[in-house]
């Protein structure tokens, strides 16, 4: 994506969902899988997220949003490590 994001979550028009109120909480959860680009060790893999929103009650939700605000970016670093495992057959060691 041209803005550097790897994915986006969009709600076209929350005003049309009657169960969503001003007191509603919306949670977005996702999982990801490490690929060959993952950095091993202390450097880690930086990730950041921000929320872009409109508080204009007359916004149509049809795209072309120009009156939006953004939260500060929340940044985290995710670490992963390589582990070497040795699997022994207990029967070879005399354990039944």
């Amino acid at each position: 994506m041209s803005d550097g994001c790897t994915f986006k979550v969009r709600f076209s028009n929350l005003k049309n969902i009657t169960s969503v109120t001003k007191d509603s909480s919306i949670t977005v959860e996702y999982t990801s899988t490490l690929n060959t680009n993952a950095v091993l060790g202390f450097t880690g893999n930086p990730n950041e997220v921000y929320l872009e929103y409109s508080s204009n009650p007359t916004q149509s939700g049809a795209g072309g949003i120009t009156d939006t605000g953004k939260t500060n970016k929340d940044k985290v670093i995710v670490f992963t490590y390589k582990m070497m495992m040795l699997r022994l057959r207990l029967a070879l060691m005399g354990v039944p």
Side-chain angles (χ1 to χ4, degrees):
M1 294 177 214
S2 62
D3 59 4
C5 295
T6 55
F7 73 92
K8 295 181 180 190
V9 176
R10 292 181 185 213
F11 301 98
S12 62
N13 195 345
L14 290 175
K15 294 183 295 183
N16 289 339
I17 303 172
T18 57
S19 61
V20 175
T21 69
K22 65 178 182 63
D23 297 316
S24 294
S25 176
I26 298 172
T27 302
V28 176
E29 294 183 19
Y30 68 93
T31 60
S32 61
T33 302
L34 290 178
N35 62 26
T36 57
N37 297 323
V39 176
L40 301 176
F42 293 110
T43 303
N45 299 276
N47 288 286
E48 57 185 39
V49 64
Y50 66 89
L51 175 66
E52 185 173 359
Y53 59 91
S54 171
S55 58
N56 181 348
T58 62
Q59 184 68 43
S60 70
I65 299 171
T66 57
D67 56 344
T68 62
K70 281 186 182 178
T71 61
N72 292 329
K73 289 183 179 178
D74 187 14
K75 298 179 182 182
V76 298
I77 299 177
V78 179
F79 299 96
T80 187
Y81 300 91
K82 185 175 184 177
M83 295 179 68
M84 301 299 290
M85 303 293 285
L86 178 61
R87 188 171 118 183
L88 298 175
R89 293 180 140 222
L90 295 178
L92 294 175
M93 298 171 24
V95 177

